[in-house]
Amino acid sequence: MKQFKNYRIYFAALILILGCESSLEEEVKTFYTEDTFYQTEQDAKLAINGIYGHLGATFDETLNSKGLYFANYWTANALLSDEGETSFNRGDGYNQLSAMAHTPENTIALEIWSNLYLGLNAANMAIINIPDVDMDEGTKDDLLGEAHFLRGLLYFELVRFFGEVPLQLEPQKVFTSSAFQGRAEISEVYAQIFADLTMAENSLPTEQTGLDNGRPTSWSAKAYMAKAALQHGEDLQLAKTKLEEIMSSGRFGLWEDYADVFKIANNNGKEVLFAISFLEGTDLFTTLWEGGHLVYRTLPGGVYGGRPNGGGLEIPTMSLYNSFDDEDRRKEITFMTQDMINGELVEFDTPHIVKYWDREAEPLVNNTANDLQLIRYADILLMYAEVLNEQNNGSTPAALDAINQVRKRARFADGVERNVLPDLSTMGYEAFKEAILEERKKELTWEGHRWFDLVRFGKLEEKVTEAKPGVPVAARHNLLPIPQRERDINQNLTQNSGY
């Protein structure tokens, strides 16, 4: 059962963003400054929760904040790859990403950049100020570990999206010289990522319980250390070590049926190493709407139970849909091609992504309380197969066992094994690499991995051209452009090649 509410306490986030004195002449008693806010253990906890405000979503009558993982993260990953495309020409930033026509003025790239740096500023404020708070030292260590984990996560997303980026490790105040930094080398950014995740690994508990269930653990930090090491490609042994620690812990495993992975009751279950929560709830100060767009954006438009549901904004490519064997359990769980609407069976013109819709828990859909699972155990197994292939120049028994665990699960539906997806046997380096990439595509569809995977495997241009003929994909699309608005403000920012 989901416990960690991840309340994105909106005014706390705003305090952390501002970080400076108000210019208003009238004294406003309800506003805090950095000097007056960090006084108690409760303040420190609110500061950590405030970081999440830039990851998920918050809403009240005066604020509707869409964080990184609300929609942009996984939508951009699909559209920039061979996974997805926009369903109609809206003339917006998403259309540009799908058509590989995005420029430095792209609005989605700007939103991603802005949310990441707002989150980083909030994390930096917590890291700088929490050590001076008079509170239980064990709790303080946990909170600082969480802040370092989130900072490492946010820099990992930044370097994957944009490459070289400004490395800000102190709170930034508007119009100060320290805010106008140049871009750090990619190796420097990764060094900071590993430093933050190492601190988190050593400070976070191995398990979160009660209301904290769902917050990052030391296992979350290990998982991201492995993922970052693999993406960077400079320390495969680190990736192997962390993956083996996770696999040998006995704490994680695959659900028996792929359908169980996306049931709301299984959020924060045995397959999840870290996820972003979306739900409705009440905190100390306000009622927040936090439903995610995982269902709304991808389900077809229509009426379920008398209520409008999906927006049908983005759809999978036919190349993706056709790559699945019809008996692969993941195909029927991932896609929708027809459904009962108002008592009639409706055939859709194109497949739609349906994997996040838990029909039993949320029969009337729009936004969803389902989590976005950023790293789950199937990803751990597939990364392990990839690392071993890179180290051994071909498959090994351990690598084959890892990928075959994922394939075996995909053979089972309601406890019955289907005659599909046989275990893989010994393969050379290139053949096994292709098999791993293909398995990742099917297992992790629409979970925010595909673009990053294609870049890491050096396959972006090949795969996008196959799936979306006529789309002018090029080497520059391995990264997003640095937003032009940011370059107009900060003259020290250079642009990525090709933009």
Side-chain angles (χ1 to χ4, degrees):
M1 179 180 178
K2 182 187 300 187
Q3 293 291 329
F4 173 36
K5 303 303 183 185
N6 266 5
Y7 294 133
R8 285 73 170 174
I9 300 174
Y10 78 91
F11 76 88
L14 290 175
I15 294 166
L16 295 173
I17 293 168
L18 293 172
C20 57
E21 294 79 8
S22 172
S23 60
L24 298 177
E25 293 182 2
E26 180 181 356
E27 183 179 6
V28 184
K29 299 293 187 181
T30 56
F31 278 137
Y32 293 86
T33 69
E34 189 176 348
D35 294 331
T36 62
F37 179 67
Y38 294 91
Q39 303 297 317
T40 68
E41 181 173 309
Q42 182 68 10
D43 292 343
K45 291 179 177 179
L46 292 179
I48 297 299
N49 285 350
I51 304 171
Y52 289 96
H54 308 294
L55 305 186
T58 59
F59 177 83
D60 77 346
E61 291 181 354
T62 61
L63 178 72
N64 185 358
S65 173
K66 299 178 291 185
L68 173 67
Y69 300 109
F70 176 74
N72 285 339
Y73 177 81
W74 39 272
T75 302
N77 241 284
L79 298 179
L80 288 166
S81 73
D82 58 349
E83 264 192 341
E85 53 196 351
T86 50
S87 58
F88 59 96
N89 188 359
R90 306 191 296 272
D92 63 4
Y94 291 114
N95 275 136
Q96 295 167 16
L97 296 181
S98 179
M100 296 294 184
H102 48 286
T103 68
E105 286 78 19
N106 183 266
T107 56
I108 308 306
L110 176 59
E111 287 180 12
I112 291 171
W113 175 284
S114 298
N115 275 314
L116 285 166
Y117 272 107
L118 289 172
L120 281 168
N121 205 46
N124 285 335
M125 286 187 179
I127 290 169
I128 291 294
N129 288 287
I130 288 177
D132 294 331
V133 177
D134 184 13
M135 59 183 292
D136 176 77
E137 290 300 317
T139 302
K140 180 185 291 186
D141 286 344
D142 289 349
L143 294 177
L144 285 171
E146 189 167 1
H148 279 279
F149 171 82
L150 292 172
R151 187 168 72 177
L153 167 63
L154 292 170
Y155 268 120
F156 183 45
E157 304 296 18
L158 263 172
V159 77
R160 290 198 290 177
F161 274 112
F162 297 100
E164 297 179 348
V165 292
L167 192 59
Q168 298 177 354
L169 303 179
E170 295 182 356
Q172 302 297 305
K173 296 184 179 182
V174 180
F175 303 126
T176 61
S177 59
S178 62
F180 302 120
Q181 295 177 228
R183 300 167 70 190
E185 297 285 341
I186 287 176
S187 59
E188 293 181 63
V189 180
Y190 271 103
Q192 185 59 49
I193 292 167
F194 292 126
D196 277 323
L197 293 178
T198 298
M199 194 281 183
E201 179 188 27
N202 295 329
S203 300
L204 288 170
T206 58
E207 183 180 11
Q208 299 279 14
T209 60
L211 294 177
D212 289 329
N213 186 20
R215 291 185 182 273
T217 66
S218 60
W219 301 106
S220 309
K222 292 177 192 290
Y224 267 105
M225 289 174 74
K227 185 171 278 290
L230 184 58
Q231 192 75 27
H232 190 211
E234 298 294 322
D235 194 348
L236 293 179
Q237 188 57 42
L238 173 63
K240 179 175 182 287
T241 297
K242 296 306 170 184
L243 292 169
E244 288 178 341
E245 289 176 7
I246 293 167
M247 293 166 62
S248 64
S249 70
R251 292 176 175 267
F252 306 97
L254 300 176
W255 293 107
E256 289 69 22
D257 193 317
Y258 191 73
D260 294 333
V261 177
F262 308 101
K263 291 181 178 177
I264 292 176
N266 292 336
N267 285 170
N268 298 320
K270 65 179 180 179
E271 195 158 336
V272 179
L273 284 100
F274 186 63
I276 295 296
S277 296
F278 293 102
L279 49 82
E280 296 178 357
T282 303
D283 58 37
L284 296 173
F285 306 98
T286 184
T287 298
L288 303 181
W289 166 89
E290 294 187 325
H293 261 203
L294 289 163
V295 171
Y296 170 76
R297 296 193 73 90
T298 61
L299 284 186
V303 178
Y304 292 83
R307 171 178 166 180
N309 72 306
L313 302 179
E314 289 84 32
I315 56 176
T317 61
M318 289 306 299
S319 173
L320 173 67
Y321 178 76
N322 291 332
S323 69
F324 285 74
D325 189 292
D326 287 341
E327 290 297 302
D328 187 333
R329 176 63 158 168
R330 296 171 298 194
K331 187 172 189 177
E332 65 201 70
I333 299 303
T334 300
F335 303 102
M336 169 191 283
T337 59
Q338 61 181 23
D339 201 30
M340 297 295 297
I341 298 181
N342 291 338
E344 296 183 7
L345 182 64
V346 175
E347 297 278 350
F348 303 120
D349 293 335
T350 183
H352 293 266
I353 299 293
V354 72
K355 69 193 296 182
Y356 294 106
W357 184 19
D358 185 338
R359 289 175 181 252
E360 293 183 3
E362 297 176 327
L364 301 180
V365 298
N366 193 311
N367 294 293
T368 180
N370 215 341
D371 287 356
L372 173 62
Q373 300 175 36
L374 292 180
I375 297 190
R376 54 186 180 87
Y377 191 62
D379 190 8
I380 298 297
L381 292 171
L382 294 174
M383 285 194 289
Y384 189 60
E386 183 180 343
V387 168
L388 294 183
N389 188 47
E390 294 297 323
Q391 289 186 324
N392 298 284
N393 198 36
S395 67
T396 64
L400 289 168
D401 177 68
I403 193 171
N404 285 333
Q405 286 184 55
V406 176
R407 290 171 65 85
K408 179 180 179 180
R409 196 260 298 274
R411 292 198 292 266
F412 280 84
D414 298 319
V416 178
E417 186 172 8
R418 297 172 172 178
N419 185 26
V420 69
L421 298 170
D423 284 353
L424 299 180
S425 56
T426 303
M427 306 173 76
Y429 172 77
E430 289 295 343
F432 194 44
K433 183 175 181 177
E434 183 65 26
I436 294 166
L437 182 60
E438 186 71 7
E439 207 63 44
R440 290 186 64 83
K441 177 178 70 174
K442 295 172 181 176
E443 177 68 26
L444 304 171
T445 295
W446 224 269
E447 295 182 40
H449 297 276
R450 186 61 175 173
W451 179 47
F452 298 143
D453 285 351
L454 291 180
V455 170
R456 185 173 72 255
F457 278 72
K459 296 280 190 176
L460 182 66
E461 294 178 61
E462 173 190 332
K463 298 297 185 182
V464 171
T465 299
E466 291 175 358
K468 298 191 283 190
V471 170
V473 59
R476 69 177 178 274
H477 296 126
N478 286 337
L479 294 171
L480 287 178
I482 304 300
Q484 188 59 44
R485 190 193 73 172
E486 298 302 309
R487 296 192 66 218
D488 291 340
I489 296 171
N490 179 2
Q491 300 298 315
N492 294 316
L493 287 179
T494 57
Q495 184 56 272
N496 283 325
S497 177
Y499 291 104

